[in-house]
Amino acid sequence: MASQRQIHVGGVPIGGGAPVAVQTMTKTETANLSETMAQIRRVAEAGADLVRVAVPREEDVQALKTIVADSPIPVIADIHFNHTLALKAIDAGAHCIRINPGNIGGPDKVAEVVEAARRAKVPLRVGVNSGSLPKHLRELEYTDPVEALVASALEMVALMESLKFDDFKVSMKSTSVPNTIASNRRLAEKIPYPLHLGVTEAGTKYTGSLKSAVGLGTLLADGIGDTIRISLSTFHAEEEVKVAWEILKALKLRERGPVLIACPTCGRLQFDMDSVVAEVEHRLEAYEDPIEVSILGCAVNGIGEARHADFGITGAKDAAMIFSKGEPLKKVPTDRLVEELFAEIDRYYEAGKKVVVDERAAAEAARWLAENEDAEAMTPERLAALEAEQARKEADEAAGGSVDESSSPTAGRRFTRA
């Protein structure tokens, strides 16, 4: 269930029905201003709503003042072990402070940070990772790691509430995907505060993206989670942002930029689809609209499941067809696929987001498709027609009428939905 409470990190609302916010963390030494600011600008361009910077040293606090002033997106200061750095980060203008109350020096030190945050109207992120549970929960961690995580998070919430402070979000991360899912589900039932989601230390771009997609995607599909960070072993923080957006786009939670649909390929493939997909994906980065573009590797099943795409390609060895919303636009040589596709996309924008159809070219494309597609393939269009015919037959029989099956184009055929 979505969190009831809402906080604001800079101008970004978190929780309370706000869109799921994307954040990442810089990989640079924060005190290295040029490198840190360059990375912040890259992640902002990639779509990050928030950025977190590590502040383990005094020189990082000094750099933080400039970073906050120059950053295009709100900045979160990440503090561990030294509560005075949290106090100084608040003075430096950080838009949010991340602390783990379990390692910041005890309740009195936490209270100091809370009071400073209250005066400055700066929210906090409190939370725990599976690797930093308090000592009194270590034994429980071995027998019930999910309950240990939830108990630790609830203790932190209780501490914030005892200090009469509610301007915070909660994070509870594990390296285990099942534990991340189970603990956040349990915690979401118990507290009204916004939840920050992540699978901590997820791994490389490949494995980390998959683990994050499974863990965070499951929770987000349940309506749990208000802000997310993908944790990847990469020096390129913008890669984390791209993965986060793909998860949100896949769940239709937020839209940003085009959506690329590509078939998985099979033995029917007759052109270099890998290269075409890579080139199309790269060129789509220049477009901001959430248009859908489909690439189908053969013409066997016609336009099929991709008929809803704004633009698409269905290809064969020497020729292919470009289509829009299921309707043929033109037949093109295979070696001109990408250029002709983007010519149609650009023509669409130049016409005020209206598909421009050349009737002669569209008719030629339709003929080509009819000649190349598999006449027996159970495409969605044919399946729909068969189901409609079956429904009509049953309705006629129920009304006491008769049906001349010999005249049906599907007479003698049986069909089942796969």
Side-chain angles (χ1 to χ4, degrees):
M1 62 293 306
S3 65
Q4 300 170 17
R5 300 284 182 87
Q6 185 175 92
I7 66 173
H8 287 79
V9 178
V12 178
I14 307 293
V20 178
V22 173
Q23 68 172 269
T24 187
M25 189 170 182
T26 54
K27 315 289 185 170
T28 59
E29 287 192 5
T30 304
N32 186 334
L33 273 173
S34 61
E35 291 295 325
T36 300
M37 285 308 306
Q39 192 162 87
I40 288 175
R41 292 188 181 99
R42 287 197 297 272
V43 301
E45 185 177 345
D49 300 300
L50 307 164
V51 65
R52 182 154 46 105
V53 299
V55 185
R57 299 171 293 268
E58 185 68 33
E59 52 266 39
D60 299 316
V61 172
Q62 297 305 314
L64 189 60
K65 298 175 183 177
T66 301
I67 292 169
V68 169
D70 294 347
S71 175
I73 54 178
V75 177
I76 302 167
D78 189 271
I79 311 292
H80 289 278
F81 309 118
N82 189 338
H83 87 291
T84 61
L85 290 176
L87 300 176
K88 291 178 180 179
I90 292 172
D91 289 339
H95 299 99
C96 180
I97 307 295
R98 181 271 176 104
I99 61 170
N100 180 341
N103 70 20
I104 206 71
D108 292 343
K109 301 293 177 61
V110 174
E112 285 186 54
V113 176
V114 166
E115 188 54 38
R118 192 197 321 273
R119 288 195 304 268
K121 297 182 178 179
V122 171
L124 299 179
R125 169 190 154 187
V126 298
V128 64
N129 289 351
S130 55
S132 60
L133 288 167
K135 291 181 180 179
H136 69 277
L137 291 173
R138 297 280 172 81
E139 186 174 340
L140 180 60
E141 181 185 13
Y142 289 112
T143 59
D144 191 342
V146 170
E147 184 56 32
L149 280 167
V150 174
S152 180
L154 289 175
E155 288 178 2
M156 295 178 187
V157 169
L159 177 58
M160 293 294 109
E161 292 179 337
S162 72
L163 296 169
K164 301 190 184 311
F165 186 77
D166 61 7
D167 194 10
F168 66 94
K169 56 183 175 178
V170 182
S171 69
M172 188 174 51
K173 298 183 178 182
S174 172
T175 56
S176 162
V177 172
N179 290 354
T180 295
I181 294 170
S183 59
N184 277 281
R185 279 176 170 166
R186 197 174 300 178
L187 185 63
E189 294 177 346
K190 297 176 180 293
I191 65 171
Y193 304 101
L195 291 180
H196 167 79
L197 301 183
V199 176
T200 191
E201 301 165 3
T204 63
K205 181 179 177 181
Y206 177 72
T207 58
S209 296
L210 289 174
K211 289 164 69 177
S212 297
V214 173
L216 275 60
T218 299
L219 289 166
L220 291 168
D222 285 346
I224 297 171
D226 303 287
T227 175
I228 61 174
R229 187 259 171 121
I230 309 300
S231 300
L232 302 180
S233 296
T234 173
F235 288 111
H236 303 286
E238 60 271 23
E239 296 299 327
E240 296 183 345
V241 177
K242 293 175 182 177
V243 173
W245 271 105
E246 288 304 316
I247 294 172
L248 294 178
K249 286 160 63 176
L251 291 169
K252 304 295 184 184
L253 292 175
R254 291 184 69 180
E255 292 184 334
R256 175 185 164 81
V259 174
L260 178 62
I261 301 166
C263 78
T265 76
C266 66
R268 292 192 296 261
L269 186 66
Q270 293 181 303
F271 69 97
D272 185 6
M273 186 166 165
D274 278 358
S275 298
V276 170
V277 170
E279 186 176 354
V280 170
E281 184 175 47
H282 175 69
R283 291 184 60 166
L284 283 174
E285 292 177 1
Y287 296 77
E288 296 182 358
D289 266 8
I291 59 170
E292 288 191 340
V293 176
S294 169
I295 303 175
L296 304 178
C298 71
V300 168
N301 292 326
I303 296 170
E305 289 86 347
R307 66 179 300 106
H308 63 280
D310 295 294
F311 289 94
I313 295 168
T314 181
K317 184 175 182 180
D318 300 316
M321 184 188 77
I322 295 173
F323 63 89
S324 175
K325 294 293 185 183
E327 298 299 326
L329 288 181
K330 63 166 64 169
K331 172 189 170 186
V332 298
T334 303
D335 61 2
R336 291 281 302 165
L337 271 178
V338 178
E339 290 303 320
E340 294 292 344
L341 171 66
F342 281 93
E344 293 300 325
I345 292 174
D346 290 340
R347 190 173 293 116
Y348 164 78
Y349 283 112
E350 290 166 1
K353 295 188 178 181
K354 179 180 178 182
V355 178
V356 180
V357 180
D358 181 312
E359 297 297 341
R360 176 178 292 183
E364 180 188 13
R367 285 193 298 272
W368 174 86
L369 181 63
E371 293 168 359
N372 283 275
E373 68 179 341
D374 183 350
E376 298 297 315
M378 193 54 64
T379 65
E381 296 88 348
R382 292 180 186 138
L383 182 58
L386 287 169
E387 290 177 336
E389 181 181 343
Q390 184 75 12
R392 179 185 61 78
K393 176 182 175 182
E394 292 173 356
D396 287 346
E397 290 176 346
S402 62
V403 178
D404 180 7
E405 293 190 0
S406 64
S407 64
S408 169
T410 57
R413 291 182 59 183
R414 297 177 61 86
F415 68 95
T416 56
R417 181 181 291 275

